[in-house]
Each structure stands twice: as C-alpha cells, then as structure tokens.
Amino acid sequence: MAHRCVARTGFLHRRSATTSSRMHATRAVPKQVERKSGNVATSVTATNLEDMKKEIQQAEKAGADIVELRMDFLETIGVEDDVDGLVQCCKLPTIATVRPLWEGGRYRGSEGSRMALLKRAADAGCTFIDVELKAAEDFLTLYPKESLGDTKLILSRHDFETTPSANELKEWVGQSWDFKADVVKIATTAKTITEVRLVLDLLLEKKGPTIALSMGEHGQISRLLAPKYGAFLTFGSLEKGKESAPGQTTVEDLVSVYRVHKQNQDTQVFGLIGNPVSHSKGPILHNKSMEVIGFNGVYVPFLVDNVDEFLEAFPEFSGFSVTIPHKVNALQYSVQHGHVDAVAQKIGALNTLVRQQDGTLYGCNTDYLAAIRGIEEALQSAGHDGLNGKKVVVVGAGGAGRAIAFGAREKGASVTVVNRSRESAERLAADVGCNVGDLEALLKGEIQGDVLANTTSVGMYPNVEHSPVPAEILPAFLVVFDAVYNPKITRLLREASAAGCVTANGVDMFVGQAAEQFALFTNTSAPADLMAEIVSSSLN
C-alpha cells in the first residue's frame, strides 16, 4: 500500500529546502544514548500508529536501550503530527528509519516524501535518523548535515543475499565516513558462519561508532557477540515472531541470557558447535552459571557446516561443546592441532574442545564421564562398589551408546551392545572389544545383567508412552539408566522403579557432562545444583 503524506507537499518542500530560525527554535532536543557501545536496539514494526505506540511501551519494558521507529511498516503516516507523536511518546533514544523497497524495506512512496519524513523526525527530536548509503548524496544535498541539529546521522548499507568481499565492505565503510556519518551500519547475509569473520573484522578496525551485523541463523553470533567486538549496538526483536531481520534473538534473551550489557573486549567466548543448534539449552545453562560465579564469559550457539573452517576462522574463541554431526571431525582436527584425551580417542568422538594458552586445542569426551558417574552412583546406592566386574547391556549403537560402552569397558565392566541394526552393533562391539546381543533375545528376557543402559531416543517427548524394552524384563537388572532427558522420568524409568531397580536419568547425564565442560572452560567447579534446577525448569 502506498504511504500517505499530508497533502501540504508544497509546504513540506519549502520547509525542507530552508533552515529558518523558526525551525531551529522549535526543534526538540534528542534523548542521549548513555553507552558508547553495546547498546540493545529493537525495531517497532506495527502497521498503524496506535499499535506502534504500544510496541514502543513494550520495548521500554523489555530492557531495550534504543527504539528504532520503522515508519516504512506503517500503512499511512502524516509527516507532521504523526512523526512528532511517535518520537515524543518514546522515553528512550530513537532511530527513525523509512526503509525503501530497494533496500529491503516496505516504503513505496517517492524519495522526496521519504526524505521529508526523516527530516521531520530529526526536527521532532529523534536521536538518530538512518539514511541508506545509496541515498546519502541526495539526502545531504536536500538536507545538509548541519540542518539536522543534534540528531545523529546513521548511514547504512544492506546486502540481503550475500556477504561481499572484505575490500567491498571496507569500501562501503570508507564511503560512509566520507559522507560524515556519525554512525556506520553494515548488514550482510551469512551463508556460512565463517563469513561472519569479515563482519566482525569491520568492528575490530572501526574508526568510529559502527554497527556491523550478519543476517540469518549462520550470522547470529554477530548479534550475540556485538558488544565484545565494540559494536555501537545490536538489534533484538520484541518477541519471537516479530523479528525485523533474519537471525534476531529477543531483547530479553540478549540482556538476560547473553548479558550483552556486561560483555567487553576481555569477555571469553564459548559455545555449541553443531547443526542444528537452535534447540540447545546450553546457552541458558552455561551463561547463568557463568553469571553466578562472576566469570567474564559468554556461551553462544554456533551453526557450523565445516568444523575445520570454523575453528580456523575464530582462533580467539576459548572453548566449545560439540554435538552432531561434528564430534568425529572435531576429534580429527584436535588430533592434528592439539591433544585429545585417550578415552576420547578410543571412543572415536569428542564433545568438548578447550583452547590452550599456546592456541592449540584440547579435546575430550564428557558424555561418557557423566553417564558412567551416574550409573556408578546408582550402583553404589544399590549397595555395590562400581562397574568393575559388572555386566552392562547397552541399548543403542549411536554416539551416546558408543560413549557408555567405552566408558563401562574402561571401568572393567563386561559390555553387551544391542541395537535394532545388528550391523551397527557389531561395528561398535568390534571397536570396544565387547559382546553383541540380539535385540529379540533382550526383549524376551534372555539377556540379563547388572545394568541396562538405554541410549536410544525411544521414550523422548512427544512419544512419552514408548519404552525400548518391556517392563517384564526389568527385574533382571540392578540399575536402569535412560539417556533421554525430556521427560526427566521416562516410561522406562517409571517401570524400572516399579520393578525395584535403582534408576539414573538423562537429566543427570546432561547436567553432568555440562558441569564437566564448565569446569574445563572456567577452571572453576560448576554450580551443579543450579544447572540441574535450570534444566528441570526448562523441561517443565
């Protein structure tokens, strides 16, 4: 829908072409930004004035530092009273943006009308106006910078398809400074996480206040780590579903989970390497724990396609959790560029990488440590010393099954692997040096032992009424372990308890492996009770 400007276009033209003393006398004073870097901005994108004013109030309550008024989203807007009302109703510093279609926005009106809206926002006391670099010359010819008063000029350039070369990005930045920008904004689109390196380098080399962001999920770390690299601001959405650009997280998460207001250049960066990673509870778990112990670190999701290229691109990052599909490739990289724990080498996969002082990587597997500890604690509560000499039946031959089979074998247990695909079970058994069992035999109760360890996803939400084995076979075991952690108490564990078995659950394993990682990351004991509480609360 075409935007409506007030009918007095001739009056607008005359006012925009002059800087009369009357205009200067009535210009509102912009609200000032307190932070020189690390601000959190959010965009209000309602399509009518009433709802946009409600979003402004929501932004103020959410913890934003700056509100971007995306006036191009409005279906109609009058140049005078409407713009003045929007700017003046906001208690926070504001950015006025009227993004045209040709730069990824929604404004369909004329350039003269669009620029008049921006000028009016400056006169109304907007802290910043955002002008596209492509339109900078025309805008500044019509409205010289001195006519903006105390309103600061953001010159922005967006690429919604790719991340240009380093030279082209630097050229955009240089052009912006040549036009006397007060703030430079560059937003590109990341097809891989390694492309974010080019954008973060712009911040490291900045000559003045700079916003540099990579759009899309691959580029999310540019938003989450913006304060560490000295960005003037980062953008967050008011809530999920109201993102003004791809890859945004919410203002609430930026402030409370990623603690962007507390990040600085000394903040150590950790995170989860995987694909996918959006489901991970790791950021909540690790960031809250770091906050509690006063550790200057942040934990973020890394959506990685090629683990070697990622690790090469970001040598300044301090440590990583590693999940599917990168556990094997991460181990191979660590063998070539550092040191890998002996058990992790035997397992053939790792889930943890820690940067050493000399820049090399130490790799280990905390999955098996946590699972084996949980199983041994359950055995001890049943009156037994540990796994040495015990018979362990592992159901599943995937990553968790591999970790537990190797870990139990290391502890001196006799291990039998049972899997729906016998071929997979045979491969794992050959690697571990243990036995292979027939699934049908287990289901009939013909395979017995001291410990039954389910490492499959059977029983995971939403299929909570499923169990990998029938209840009738459970009395043959002392301890039953289930790697599933959602729900915390699975059908398998309920039936095992009813059969008189001691149980160990997947939440304990999840928290245990995270606590081991946390200790390696921070050289400090993890607040394990807090971690358990966080995981339980998130599952509930």
Side-chain angles (χ1 to χ4, degrees), residues 67-71 83 87 94-98 117-118 121-122 126-131:
V67 177
E68 182 185 35
L69 308 174
R70 284 297 300 267
M71 293 189 287
V83 174
V87 175
T94 49
I95 302 170
T97 300
V98 190
L117 285 169
L118 290 168
C126 211
T127 314
F128 306 92
I129 59 171
D130 183 324
V131 177

Side-chain angles (χ1 to χ4, degrees), residues 279 281 284 460-461 484-489 505-508 510-511 531-540:
H279 66 287
K281 301 184 188 304
I284 298 174
M460 181 181 289
Y461 179 87
V484 172
Y485 64 84
N486 187 12
K488 180 176 181 179
I489 305 300
N505 61 65
V507 172
D508 293 337
F510 179 76
V511 172
M531 286 183 156
E533 180 182 338
I534 292 170
V535 174
S536 295
S537 297
S538 66
L539 293 177
N540 292 335

Side-chain angles (χ1 to χ4, degrees), residues 274-346:
N275 191 349
V277 291
S278 59
H279 66 287
S280 174
K281 301 184 188 304
I284 298 174
L285 196 65
H286 284 281
N287 285 320
K288 187 63 178 178
S289 298
M290 289 179 186
E291 181 180 17
V292 165
I293 70 167
F295 183 81
N296 186 12
V298 61
Y299 185 101
V300 300
F302 297 121
L303 180 61
V304 172
D305 299 312
N306 184 305
V307 69
D308 290 26
E309 291 178 358
F310 168 74
L311 292 170
E312 292 287 342
F314 298 98
E316 71 268 36
F317 292 169
S318 299
F320 313 92
S321 308
V322 185
T323 189
I324 56 173
H326 298 307
K327 290 187 175 185
V328 174
N329 287 340
L331 181 141
Q332 294 171 349
Y333 182 92
S334 190
V335 167
Q336 297 171 2
H337 300 86
H339 170 67
V340 177
D341 172 78
V343 177
Q345 289 205 49
K346 290 181 180 179

Side-chain angles (χ1 to χ4, degrees), residues 35-246:
R35 293 184 175 87
K36 293 183 178 180
S37 64
N39 294 286
V40 176
T42 191
S43 304
V44 290
T45 58
T47 57
N48 62 76
L49 287 166
E50 182 179 352
D51 288 343
M52 186 167 281
K53 289 179 180 179
K54 290 179 181 177
E55 288 187 352
I56 288 172
Q57 294 176 346
Q58 186 181 353
E60 292 169 353
K61 294 177 182 178
D65 303 303
I66 300 171
V67 177
E68 182 185 35
L69 308 174
R70 284 297 300 267
M71 293 189 287
D72 54 303
F73 275 72
L74 292 168
E75 293 177 349
T76 60
I77 184 169
V79 173
E80 295 186 15
D81 294 341
D82 290 351
V83 174
D84 292 4
L86 276 178
V87 175
Q88 293 166 9
C89 82
C90 188
K91 299 176 182 177
L92 298 173
T94 49
I95 302 170
T97 300
V98 190
R99 193 77 70 218
L101 284 172
W102 50 262
E103 188 84 357
R106 295 192 178 189
Y107 189 81
R108 298 175 182 270
S110 70
E111 280 294 276
S113 297
R114 189 174 76 86
M115 293 179 181
L117 285 169
L118 290 168
K119 179 59 166 61
R120 183 67 192 192
D123 291 342
C126 211
T127 314
F128 306 92
I129 59 171
D130 183 324
V131 177
E132 298 72 27
L133 178 59
K134 293 177 182 178
E137 185 172 0
D138 290 342
F139 180 85
L140 292 171
T141 298
L142 192 59
Y143 304 109
K145 194 157 182 283
E146 55 269 19
S147 73
L148 302 180
D150 293 329
T151 296
K152 303 298 183 183
L153 177 65
I154 298 174
L155 289 182
S156 61
R157 182 68 189 265
H158 301 75
D159 189 323
F160 291 93
E161 300 295 329
T162 63
T163 298
S165 68
N167 286 338
E168 189 170 359
L169 291 174
K170 291 176 182 178
E171 184 177 337
W172 292 354
V173 171
Q175 290 171 354
S176 299
W177 293 130
D178 289 344
F179 278 117
K180 308 302 181 185
D182 295 299
V183 181
V184 172
K185 178 186 176 186
I186 304 295
T188 68
T189 300
K191 300 296 186 182
T192 67
I193 196 168
T194 53
E195 292 179 343
V196 181
R197 175 80 271 170
L198 298 176
V199 173
L200 294 181
D201 284 345
L202 293 180
L203 295 173
L204 294 175
E205 300 166 3
K206 65 183 181 301
K207 296 180 180 179
T210 302
I211 306 163
L213 300 169
S214 290
M215 294 179 285
E217 190 179 358
H218 283 97
Q220 189 180 43
I221 63 169
S222 69
R223 301 177 182 277
L224 304 181
L225 301 177
K228 173 181 170 58
Y229 289 88
F232 176 65
L233 63 77
T234 185
F235 282 93
S237 63
L238 281 178
E239 57 190 59
K240 290 183 179 179
K242 286 191 174 181
E243 297 84 1
S244 62

